[in-house]
Amino acid sequence: MASLRTPFIHFLIITSIVLSITLLTYFIGSSDSISEITFSTLLLQVGSGTIFFMLPPIYVTAYVLIPIFFEKKKYVQFFLSLVTLAFFWGALTSRLEPWMDENWFGEITEDNGYVAGISIMLFIVIFTVLVKLSYQGISQFALIRKLENDHLRMELMVLKNQINPHFLFNTLNSLYALTIQNSSQAPDVILKLSGMLRYSIYDCSKPTVQLKNEIENLENYIALQQVRLSGLCEIEFRKSVSNDQIEIAPMILIVFLENAFKHGAETIVKGAFIYLNLSFQKETLHFEVRNNFSDAKEVPSGGLGLENVKRRLALIYEDRYQLDISREDSLFSIRLHITL
């Protein structure tokens, strides 16, 4: 917006405003003195009056008084300078304008005196202050919003691209054990792990993914965990999705599933279970995870994974989501509702 500070652009803006008001009066003929003036003469009068009488106080106020006094919080000096400018330039204008009309355009105008000139100039400088400060405020707000958005995008990228090393190392260890045993499950494990890594690295580079891709990622994760835990955990995944093409932020749901395994199934020697229920109806996604855990081991109510996903939900969906986390006896459950 720096080009708006050039004299030519300022002249066009200010003159067009003044000229529009004057022409409106000229064409409706509400003033006999104005109606008798030719259009070209009127245009010259408005242009010269703007250049010589309006632009100087506007520029002095906007680019001298405001930067030197107001922006440095010297409010008393700013007020005194503003009043001095209005009185001086208003008095000067009240003498020069009638002389210019008479000698340049051959028009005898009524002398309105110093009071009228000073009053008009006070209005001009005060209006200039309001416009200048409003423009600066809007520009500052736009800059702050841009910086906030850039920061949020960067934060979302960091949160989204975090791969749980705990899961990755355990899966690789399980894969190593399967290869030693020449297990027929090894190729399937490699394929599912490859699919998860591809999804987290490439597919999740976009702001949103289709719900069916997020579901497939959940299923791959469950299959890998079942191999690692050798069937010691009962897992049930119910799905009721009317439209699996709907877009959702990636890697949101899996954090809750990871938490169920890490603080649930992996703490129980026998009888572990994880129940998942996913549904999408009437533009709202419902996701529920319930798991049991060992009373002998303290289960954290949050953890880094849950804190990250809470932060992502707040950044992406703001007031369009509801997350309920509860712990009762040896049962831990989460319920997530997102309006998509």
Side-chain angles (χ1 to χ4, degrees):
M1 300 296 289
S3 61
L4 290 176
R5 298 185 178 184
T6 62
F8 178 70
I9 297 297
H10 269 148
F11 170 76
L12 289 180
I13 294 174
I14 298 170
T15 303
S16 62
I17 295 173
V18 177
L19 186 60
S20 298
I21 297 173
T22 307
L23 289 180
L24 180 63
T25 307
Y26 177 81
F27 284 115
I28 63 178
S30 60
S31 171
D32 294 336
S33 59
I34 293 180
S35 301
E36 294 173 358
I37 303 174
T38 63
F39 178 77
S40 58
T41 301
L42 179 64
L43 187 63
L44 288 174
Q45 279 186 293
V46 171
S48 60
T50 301
I51 293 174
F52 294 111
F53 302 131
M54 293 186 64
L55 284 181
I58 289 175
Y59 273 97
V60 171
T61 301
Y63 300 112
V64 178
L65 300 185
I66 291 179
I68 292 178
F69 297 116
F70 189 87
E71 292 180 359
K72 295 180 180 180
K73 299 182 179 180
K74 298 178 180 180
Y75 301 123
V76 175
Q77 295 93 320
F78 174 71
F79 175 76
L80 293 176
S81 301
L82 206 65
V83 172
T84 301
L85 174 65
F87 270 75
F88 170 76
W89 202 255
L92 185 64
T93 300
S94 64
R95 298 293 90 191
L96 289 178
E97 188 174 16
W99 179 88
M100 181 184 294
D101 289 338
E102 181 179 352
N103 292 274
W104 288 17
F105 304 104
E107 180 183 342
I108 305 299
T109 58
E110 182 181 351
D111 187 358
N112 294 321
Y114 293 109
V115 175
I118 293 172
S119 300
I120 293 173
M121 203 54 57
L122 275 172
F123 172 79
I124 290 175
V125 296
I126 291 174
F127 184 75
T128 301
V129 171
L130 295 177
V131 171
K132 175 71 173 179
L133 296 182
S134 299
Y135 172 76
Q136 287 181 337
I138 294 172
S139 300
Q140 188 71 15
F141 178 77
L143 178 60
I144 292 174
R145 291 293 296 175
K146 181 179 182 303
L147 293 175
E148 287 180 347
N149 290 335
D150 290 344
H151 175 73
L152 292 181
R153 281 195 293 269
M154 184 63 66
E155 185 174 356
L156 283 174
M157 287 179 60
V158 173
L159 295 176
K160 183 173 64 178
N161 293 331
Q162 286 180 341
I163 301 175
N164 191 332
H166 174 81
F167 162 75
L168 183 60
F169 291 144
N170 283 338
T171 303
L172 289 175
N173 286 334
S174 299
L175 179 60
Y176 175 70
L178 291 174
T179 56
I180 291 179
Q181 301 168 8
N182 292 321
S183 173
S184 60
Q185 291 181 297
D188 188 50
V189 170
I190 293 174
L191 186 62
K192 292 186 182 302
L193 180 60
S194 174
M196 288 194 67
L197 292 175
R198 182 187 66 251
Y199 178 75
S200 63
I201 295 174
Y202 296 108
D203 295 349
C204 293
S205 61
K206 297 175 290 185
T208 60
V209 295
Q210 290 187 347
L211 180 58
K212 66 176 183 178
N213 295 331
E214 189 76 357
I215 293 175
E216 182 182 358
N217 191 51
L218 292 174
E219 292 173 335
N220 284 339
Y221 182 86
I222 292 172
L224 291 176
Q225 289 286 26
Q226 285 179 321
V227 170
R228 190 174 68 83
L229 297 175
S230 303
L232 295 177
C233 178
E234 178 189 352
I235 303 175
E236 183 179 318
F237 188 9
R238 294 182 179 180
K239 300 179 289 291
S240 176
V241 179
S242 58
N243 179 15
D244 63 359
Q245 309 293 313
I246 195 71
E247 297 284 327
I248 185 176
M251 304 294 284
I252 288 284
L253 305 182
I254 197 169
V255 175
F256 302 109
L257 183 57
E258 288 178 344
N259 189 73
F261 276 103
K262 182 177 180 181
H263 300 296
E266 294 180 13
T267 69
I268 301 176
V269 177
K270 186 178 180 180
F273 66 82
I274 298 176
Y275 300 146
L276 299 93
N277 191 5
L278 176 66
S279 63
F280 176 74
Q281 297 172 346
K282 297 181 180 180
E283 299 183 350
T284 301
L285 178 75
H286 307 277
F287 185 59
E288 180 182 7
V289 181
R290 293 184 294 122
N291 65 274
N292 59 345
F293 59 89
S294 173
D295 292 329
K297 184 173 181 179
E298 181 67 21
V299 179
S301 59
L304 181 61
L306 287 182
E307 290 304 315
N308 281 350
V309 78
K310 288 178 183 177
R311 179 63 175 156
R312 285 191 64 201
L313 286 168
L315 292 174
I316 299 171
Y317 294 108
E318 298 181 345
D319 59 348
R320 294 187 292 121
Y321 83 96
Q322 179 181 343
L323 176 62
D324 300 315
I325 300 177
S326 64
R327 174 186 174 183
E328 184 176 352
D329 296 330
S330 60
L331 181 64
F332 189 86
S333 64
I334 69 99
R335 291 178 179 85
L336 175 65
H337 311 280
I338 306 176
T339 302
L340 300 174

